[in-house]
Amino acid sequence: MISKFIEDVQTLDTEPGHPDSPFSPPADWEGGNTEYRNWLRSQFKTSPWVRQRLRIAARRYAKRETLDFQGRFGAVLPDILDSILKKLQTEPSVGD
């Protein structure tokens, strides 16, 4: 069976208003880099979808796999992924 839901885990679109990107704030977003970090942090805490996508992106980033950082906050997203990687390294593995 083929799923009709395909996620592009290579493209990380941070431009506000992108409806299919967990990295995209609302269309009327006016914050800067610091506000974006805080917004994404709150999304990480409250949304399993965002948490999953950020973890996937962080692991791909750690393996130096191709990632396409797009949008207004694309330049700060690698730093955010680095921070997530540090947290993931301190979390116990499943089964520990």
Side-chain angles (χ1 to χ4, degrees):
M1 177 180 200
I2 297 175
S3 173
K4 64 181 179 177
F5 301 104
I6 304 290
E7 292 289 333
D8 178 5
V9 296
Q10 181 174 328
T11 303
L12 310 176
D13 193 339
T14 66
E15 190 62 35
H18 191 286
D20 297 324
S21 176
F23 312 104
S24 171
D28 59 352
W29 181 261
E30 294 186 19
N33 289 348
T34 300
E35 292 81 12
Y36 177 76
R37 287 175 189 270
N38 292 335
W39 173 82
L40 198 54
R41 183 177 293 123
S42 71
Q43 295 297 303
F44 182 87
K45 290 178 182 178
T46 60
S47 171
W49 179 57
V50 172
R51 198 165 33 252
Q52 179 185 41
R53 288 293 307 277
L54 277 167
R55 285 180 173 169
I56 291 169
R59 286 186 175 109
R60 287 180 60 93
Y61 183 70
K63 293 179 180 179
R64 301 192 191 300
E65 293 180 9
T66 302
L67 290 172
D68 183 12
F69 297 98
Q70 296 181 356
R72 188 183 321 172
F73 302 105
V76 297
L77 196 50
D79 291 337
I80 295 169
L81 296 179
D82 276 331
S83 176
I84 290 170
L85 284 168
K86 289 175 187 170
K87 290 177 184 173
L88 288 174
Q89 291 171 350
T90 62
E91 290 181 358
S93 297
V94 175
D96 284 350

